[in-house]
Amino acid sequence: MSQITQQKREKNQAELKKWKMQAAKPTTAHYLVILVVIVALVYIVDELTSNITSTVQSSVVNDFFVSKGVDFNTGLSNMSLMMMPAYVFYFILPFYKSLADKLGRKLFLVLNTLGMALGMFTIWISPNIYTYILGCLIIRFFIPNDMQVMYIMEAAPEQHRAKLCSVTKAFGYVGVSCIPVLRLVMMNNDAARWREIFIIPVIMGAAVSILCVIFVKESPVFLSQRIHYLEGELEPDGDTADKNKTQKSGVFYAIRFIFTHKQLRYIAICAFVFACSIAVTGFYESIMTTSGMDTAAVTRALFIFPLMNALFTLIGGFLTDRLGRKRSLAVLAVISMVMLALFILSAGQGWNAYLVGGCYGIFVGCFWSVSDLLFLIFPGESTPTELRASVLGTLSLILFAGSILSMLIVSLAMRFVTSLGLLCMAVSVPFILLSLLLVLFKVRETKGVNMETITGEEWE
């Protein structure tokens, strides 16, 4: 036996001992409740991080561009284009996320939560647009990983999987209602004080990451899969075919797996088309502002939108478990298109601010529920455990590619149009509709699959 082989064997033995010790630890009857609560807290941090920059977008543009004599639309376009390197940077994310198939889910749950806090801290102290962009880049590295979703998918009973995913995410959206409170208390209708709303989310992100370290255990599905793999590696006379199967993981094999399996291939195509509609979610505050709503009216709208977002996210989860993945996606996609049109109409026609926020909340709740189905639930339920994190991470490449295209179209076109809202609708609705049609005719239903025994061959 060579020195390299011996070193690898000793390393595998040490890792196997570590995972077996973790698997042997007793789990209390209430652990699932504890896990759901902590995952909900992680979701609150995630959604705060995802939404907080958008809620002060016009203030940032005014601070860094308009105050220096640049037109608002041009400044917003410049800032959006300055974010383009962040999308290129995202292409390393699948490699980062795929490490969770080898190093475990817990490590990345902690790192992602702490990383989001770091990004908000960088924005909080930003003295110029470049530091602000750096903070946004850090945020955009960590928020797409959604390790909390994988925890629920691998720990929850099959019949409650989508419901618990939606319940925890709904708590995150309710947490977003803290943002208008922060705007009201910290900004007090003074847009120049926009940095101050980041203080409390930074502290919360650090605190939740500590709770994850203390209370969250490694995913039982991951432990079972990893122990099985390591035992196969250490058994010289074991089933070679089984060992070869379990050894295959990582981004490049995940790409091959996606495009050689019909179900995942069509899911990837549908997900890319849908991602091309995503730019609208980054401009809702600017849509309201440029439609004539003042800072106080926007704040009122921001009070109601996360609550409606949470409600329809919750409804989406129950629909998904009750109706199945495909029919639920169809219902949610249609509602999202209708409510986007009503949001843009209501903002431009001077409707009550709470009604404007409600329209946007229903739209975005349904929109992100469709996104979760395409990027998390459909592929997660179509992929074997040893490849799940790698495949979901690889699909983030598709999300980023579609997002880049969507943002580039909107960012360049806004220089030549007066209505940002109509532009966003013209870009988003056709892609949402096309994605829906592709799902209905090309993707197979995944409701009821066993997460531990799925192989990906079931739909071939």
Side-chain angles (χ1 to χ4, degrees), residues 130-397:
Y130 304 105
T131 310
Y132 175 85
I133 294 295
L134 174 62
C136 290
L137 186 148
I138 295 171
I139 285 173
R140 293 197 179 188
F141 181 89
F142 288 105
I143 59 175
N145 295 291
D146 288 331
M147 195 56 61
Q148 65 272 21
V149 178
M150 199 173 301
Y151 255 100
I152 294 297
M153 291 183 70
E154 295 185 345
E158 181 278 324
Q159 66 271 27
H160 302 304
R161 193 180 297 145
K163 284 193 288 287
L164 286 177
C165 282
S166 67
V167 166
T168 52
K169 193 164 188 177
F171 273 104
Y173 290 141
V174 171
V176 175
S177 62
C178 296
I179 295 177
V181 175
L182 292 172
R183 282 174 58 102
L184 191 63
V185 174
M186 300 295 192
M187 294 174 64
N188 194 25
N189 213 24
D190 181 0
R193 296 170 56 188
W194 61 268
R195 291 177 181 80
E196 297 180 26
I197 73 170
F198 289 88
I199 300 173
I200 293 177
V202 167
I203 296 171
M204 183 178 179
V208 171
S209 65
I210 294 172
L211 291 177
C212 291
V213 171
I214 297 172
F215 294 107
V216 175
K217 299 179 181 180
E218 188 52 76
S219 159
V221 173
F222 167 80
L223 287 174
S224 174
Q225 175 269 321
R226 192 62 182 170
I227 289 171
H228 175 70
Y229 165 71
L230 291 169
E231 286 177 337
E233 284 284 282
L234 292 168
E235 179 54 63
D237 298 323
D239 187 339
T240 302
D242 187 59
K243 286 173 63 177
N244 288 340
K245 179 182 176 182
T246 57
Q247 283 176 339
K248 294 177 180 178
S249 63
V251 172
F252 294 112
Y253 184 71
I255 293 173
R256 179 183 172 189
F257 190 87
I258 289 170
F259 287 100
T260 55
H261 288 75
K262 183 167 62 175
Q263 170 81 347
L264 282 169
R265 184 166 64 249
Y266 281 124
I267 290 171
I269 293 170
C270 295
F272 172 75
V273 173
F274 181 82
C276 292
S277 71
I278 214 165
V280 65
T281 61
F283 295 106
Y284 62 91
E285 191 264 356
S286 290
I287 288 173
M288 290 189 283
T289 301
T290 56
S291 296
M293 297 173 63
D294 61 21
T295 301
V298 171
T299 298
R300 290 196 298 275
L302 294 178
F303 269 112
I304 194 67
F305 117 70
L307 300 179
M308 299 305 294
N309 187 356
L311 175 61
F312 276 80
T313 297
L314 195 62
I315 291 171
F318 280 83
L319 280 176
T320 300
D321 275 338
R322 183 64 181 268
L323 302 179
R325 295 10 178 173
K326 291 181 63 171
R327 284 192 290 177
S328 173
L329 185 145
V331 172
L332 294 167
V334 170
I335 294 173
S336 71
M337 288 185 285
V338 172
M339 297 313 297
L340 174 60
L342 285 176
F343 163 64
I344 293 168
L345 174 66
S346 62
Q349 295 298 314
W351 292 9
N352 182 279
Y354 293 109
L355 187 57
V356 176
C359 289
Y360 183 76
I362 296 172
F363 156 69
V364 82
C366 295
F367 182 89
W368 288 123
S369 293
V370 173
S371 176
D372 286 347
L373 281 163
L374 289 174
F375 287 97
L376 298 171
I377 294 180
F378 267 124
E381 292 180 338
S382 303
T383 307
T385 299
E386 66 270 14
L387 268 176
R388 190 165 295 126
S390 298
V391 166
L392 296 185
T394 302
L395 282 175
S396 65
L397 286 173

Side-chain angles (χ1 to χ4, degrees), residues 88-104:
V88 177
F89 185 64
Y90 286 171
F91 282 88
I92 69 170
L93 274 177
F95 299 92
Y96 167 78
K97 191 168 185 176
S98 69
L99 292 174
D101 281 332
K102 295 182 179 180
L103 302 180

